[in-house]
């Protein structure tokens, strides 16, 4: 049995991807740009084993066996195996030759609760493609394959600041992710994920963006006329580490994405009361200081992603605790990087109060930009036992 274990990160778009021009190949209607989050706080771990004793391909996700015949999963498997065959025929490794006819067992877990509603498909598909590539000894451009699992997954193939170029070709060969700056580029940047309490499940991104493409004239205008300029502006803000420009554009792009959701017919609502309160809190906080110290971004759900710089973290966390008091305001409310206590001034308290919503935020994850996928050398992370079955159920 040959076995490989790898980990891959989550990413958060600051210029959003919303809408496909080709559903099957997952080709977007606009380019997008994201920040890769650190795997110390959020990651997917995947172990893949190949053995001639396995009778079929199988997959386990977060402890439960799942459907291996999912079309997107099959696309990734097929594409990596195709590249491995190509490599073999051009004189690649013998070991690869042998395992290419073997079936695989895939086992994948997230180190964050699925119930938190954090998008996990990006990290999941990035990890699947990266691990398969290691197993079959495939090297080179893999974001094109990860993209066929989930669009946003192609950006999780790199660390730091990553753009997904929409490309022009019909076969998608130029629809790729590229690193704009490494994770070490902006060491003061911090990301807080405010996990909002939510009652019901929302419309998934795949279905949501399809309806938007079909019905929203605003989305078409955004993709064709606004995003190209925004990509240039965002890259410039990141290169210059200009938080004012970065934060403003991040908020505007998130708001515009949610405006296209409202322009979709029937409309889609991802933001809830808690999200709206966080938006107004951020604006009041920034207004108090007369500059952009924190910025929000929301994906296809109510959780807020807050971008800020290190010196602001402890105070803003205090502000969140003040506005969303929780029973677990003690130890379990803040997860991830250590945050020191910071008393709020009475001026700030009066500038931000008026809106207290107990229990609105379940907890906060504090993280920073991080590296791309990596192979694990730690046998303790290996998810499959010697029999090729998930360790916990083996
Ligand atoms: C709002 O990548 O989940 O998070 O390609 O259909 O799998 P599919 O969609 P997905 O969409 C992500 C949408 C978003 C914005 C973004 O990440 O750019």
């Amino acid at each position: 049995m040959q076995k490989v274990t790898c980990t891959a990160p989550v990413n958060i778009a600051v210029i959003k991807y919303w809408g496909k021009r080709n559903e099957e190949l997952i080709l977007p209607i606009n380019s997008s740009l994201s920040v890769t989050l650190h795997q110390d706080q959020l990651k997917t771990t995947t172990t893949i084993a190949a053995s001639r004793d396995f009778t079929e391909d199988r997959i386990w996700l977060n402890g439960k066996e799942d459907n291996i015949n999912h079309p997107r999963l099959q696309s990734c498997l097929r594409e990596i195996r195709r590249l491995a065959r190509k490599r073999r025929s051009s004189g690649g490794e013998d070991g690869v030759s042998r395992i290419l006819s073997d079936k695989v067992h895939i086992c994948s877990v997230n180190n964050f609760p699925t119930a938190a509603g954090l998008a996990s498909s990006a990290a999941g598909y990035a990890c699947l493609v990266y691990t398969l590539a290691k197993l079959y000894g495939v090297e080179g451009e893999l974001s094109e394959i990860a993209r066929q699992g989930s669009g946003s997954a192609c950006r999780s193939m790199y660390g730091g600041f990553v753009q997904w170029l929409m490309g022009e070709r019909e076969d998608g060969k130029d629809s790729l992710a590229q690193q704009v700056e490494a994770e070490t580029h902006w060491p003061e940047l911090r990301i807080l994920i405010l996990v909002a309490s939510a009652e019901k499940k929302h419309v998934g991104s795949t279905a949501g963006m399809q309806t938007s493409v079909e019905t929203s004239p605003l989305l078409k205008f955004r993709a064709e006329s606004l995003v190209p300029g925004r990509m240039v502006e965002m890259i410039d803000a990141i290169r210059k580490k200009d938080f004012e420009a970065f934060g403003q554009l991040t908020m505007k792009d998130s708001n515009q994405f949610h405006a296209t959701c409202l322009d979709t017919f029937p409309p889609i609502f991802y933001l809830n009361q808690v999200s709206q309160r966080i938006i107004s809190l951020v604006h009041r906080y920034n207004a108090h200081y007369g500059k952009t110290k924190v910025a929000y971004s929301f994906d296809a759900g109510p959780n807020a992603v807050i971008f800020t710089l290190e010196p602001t973290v402890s105070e803003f966390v205090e502000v969140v605790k003040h506005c969303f008091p929780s029973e677990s305001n003690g130890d379990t409310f803040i997860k991830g990087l250590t945050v020191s206590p910071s008393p709020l001034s009475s001026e700030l308290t009066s500038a931000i109060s008026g809106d207290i919503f107990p229990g609105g935020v379940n907890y906060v994850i504090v993280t920073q930009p991080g590296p791309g996928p990596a192979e694990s050398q730690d046998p303790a992370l290996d998810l499959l036992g010697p029999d090729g079955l998930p360790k916990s159920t083996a």
Side-chain angles (χ1 to χ4, degrees), residues 259-275:
T260 68
C261 290
L262 187 60
D263 191 46
T264 297
F265 198 79
I268 307 167
F269 305 96
Y270 289 124
L271 305 178
N272 68 11
Q273 256 194 77
V274 178
S275 328

Side-chain angles (χ1 to χ4, degrees), residues 13 16-18 20 26 72 121 150-152 155 205-206 209 257 299-300:
K16 304 289 185 193
Y17 146 56
W18 196 250
K20 301 179 185 70
I26 310 197
R72 290 178 171 198
S121 68
S150 180
S152 54
R155 297 185 313 236
S205 10
T206 307
M209 67 175 79
F257 154 51
D299 282 339

Side-chain angles (χ1 to χ4, degrees), residues 1-319:
M1 183 162 72
Q2 286 210 27
K3 213 163 41 167
V4 182
T5 299
C6 301
T7 64
V10 167
N11 73 78
I12 300 293
V14 288
I15 300 292
K16 304 289 185 193
Y17 146 56
W18 196 250
K20 301 179 185 70
R21 60 181 202 274
N22 179 322
E23 293 283 333
E24 202 188 329
L25 288 173
I26 310 197
L27 301 179
I29 58 168
N30 60 258
S31 296
S32 56
L33 200 149
S34 58
V35 180
T36 296
L37 305 188
H38 206 288
Q39 296 182 47
D40 282 353
Q41 282 74 43
L42 300 157
K43 72 173 173 209
T44 296
T45 303
T46 301
T47 299
I48 307 184
S51 163
R52 63 181 62 162
D53 295 336
F54 297 161
T55 52
E56 53 182 350
D57 290 336
R58 293 175 77 180
I59 185 163
W60 291 264
L61 298 178
N62 293 311
K64 282 215 307 239
E65 182 149 22
D66 213 300
N67 179 14
I68 191 81
N69 293 317
H70 192 286
R72 290 178 171 198
L73 187 63
Q74 286 297 325
S75 300
C76 294
L77 271 166
R78 186 187 60 237
E79 289 304 302
I80 292 276
R81 283 171 168 158
R82 194 175 54 78
L83 283 184
R85 269 188 210 103
K86 205 163 121 190
R87 189 158 175 266
R88 180 186 57 180
S89 59
S90 61
E93 282 171 53
D94 279 358
V96 172
S97 254
R98 197 188 57 70
I99 62 165
L100 257 170
S101 51
D102 290 348
K103 300 292 181 196
V104 292
H105 282 187
I106 303 166
C107 188
S108 191
V109 296
N110 297 327
N111 71 343
F112 51 93
T114 319
L118 298 166
S120 58
S121 68
Y125 275 108
C127 207
L128 172 80
V129 169
Y130 192 83
T131 313
L132 279 172
K134 288 281 172 205
L135 181 76
Y136 292 126
V138 171
E139 276 158 15
E141 180 47 57
L142 298 171
S143 72
E144 195 205 329
I145 303 178
R147 188 200 73 223
Q148 296 177 54
S150 180
S152 54
C154 73
R155 297 185 313 236
S156 274
M157 296 302 282
Y158 297 97
F161 302 83
V162 183
Q163 62 174 328
W164 172 13
L165 297 162
M166 64 178 285
E168 289 170 357
R169 291 170 57 139
E170 280 184 15
D171 63 3
K173 294 268 176 251
D174 58 352
S175 189
L176 308 168
Q178 252 179 21
Q179 189 177 60
V180 171
E181 289 288 350
E183 58 275 18
T184 48
H185 168 69
W186 200 347
E188 306 81 24
L189 193 66
R190 293 290 178 275
I191 299 115
L192 319 182
I193 301 170
L194 276 49
V195 178
S197 55
E199 326 77 58
K200 59 173 178 112
K201 210 170 150 37
H202 47 82
V203 182
S205 10
T206 307
M209 67 175 79
Q210 204 169 349
T211 318
S212 297
V213 169
E214 285 159 11
T215 63
S216 168
L218 177 58
L219 178 64
K220 189 172 155 59
F221 175 67
R222 160 183 163 74
E224 287 170 5
S225 309
L226 300 177
V227 174
R230 286 188 167 188
M231 288 292 292
V232 176
E233 265 182 73
M234 186 57 92
I235 291 172
D236 190 55
I238 290 169
R239 294 234 156 100
K240 291 180 179 148
K241 295 187 258 186
D242 176 351
F243 191 81
E244 185 71 34
F246 172 82
Q248 293 259 331
L249 192 50
T250 294
M251 293 189 279
K252 287 179 183 173
D253 202 72
S254 170
N255 293 342
Q256 189 173 85
F257 154 51
H258 291 280
T260 68
C261 290
L262 187 60
D263 191 46
T264 297
F265 198 79
I268 307 167
F269 305 96
Y270 289 124
L271 305 178
N272 68 11
Q273 256 194 77
V274 178
S275 328
Q276 282 156 13
R277 279 165 193 256
I278 294 168
I279 291 174
S280 82
L281 178 64
V282 165
H283 285 292
R284 265 179 292 147
Y285 184 81
N286 288 338
H288 174 75
Y289 284 105
K291 62 178 189 168
T292 305
K293 281 172 71 93
V294 290
Y296 53 78
S297 183
F298 297 82
D299 282 339
N303 295 333
V305 178
I306 301 289
F307 291 90
T308 190
L309 298 175
E310 200 281 327
T312 306
V313 171
S314 52
E315 186 180 81
F316 192 73
V317 161
E318 223 52 62
V319 165

Side-chain angles (χ1 to χ4, degrees), residues 309-338:
L309 298 175
E310 200 281 327
T312 306
V313 171
S314 52
E315 186 180 81
F316 192 73
V317 161
E318 223 52 62
V319 165
V320 172
K321 283 185 180 173
H322 175 84
C323 295
F324 301 96
S326 152
E327 279 172 16
S328 60
N329 252 355
D331 303 342
T332 55
F333 191 68
I334 308 297
K335 302 178 198 294
L337 298 175
T338 312

